Amino acid sequence: MGVVNLKMQLAGFIAPLTIGFVIDAFDGSFNGAVWLLVSFGVVCFIAFMTLKSGKENFMTEHPQTIPAVK
């Protein structure tokens, strides 16, 4: 849990710096920062869509916990 918290805190520190550097690189324009955030959003969406729920494994390993459906 501490490792996850450390990574979130580190990302919270690095993200504003990165966005600031991108804005400076684009001569004060926010276009580069917006496209950077959009690209990160697309990567996160693709990663989310490739996740498996694991529900099938849970049902086969624990058949007694499956509720009866009428």
Side-chain angles (χ1 to χ4, degrees):
M1 197 159 143
V3 172
V4 172
N5 191 19
L6 174 69
K7 290 180 182 181
M8 290 189 312
Q9 295 293 328
L10 188 62
F13 177 74
I14 292 176
L17 291 175
T18 304
I19 291 174
F21 287 133
V22 170
I23 291 171
D24 284 342
F26 281 83
D27 296 324
S29 174
F30 284 81
N31 289 337
V34 170
W35 283 112
L36 179 70
L37 293 174
V38 167
S39 64
F40 286 157
V42 168
V43 168
C44 289
F45 178 75
I46 291 170
F48 176 74
M49 294 306 291
T50 60
L51 291 176
K52 303 274 186 200
S53 68
K55 189 174 184 181
E56 298 84 17
N57 292 339
F58 181 79
M59 289 183 176
T60 57
E61 293 173 3
H62 301 82
Q64 69 277 11
T65 59
I66 300 172
V69 179
K70 293 183 181 181

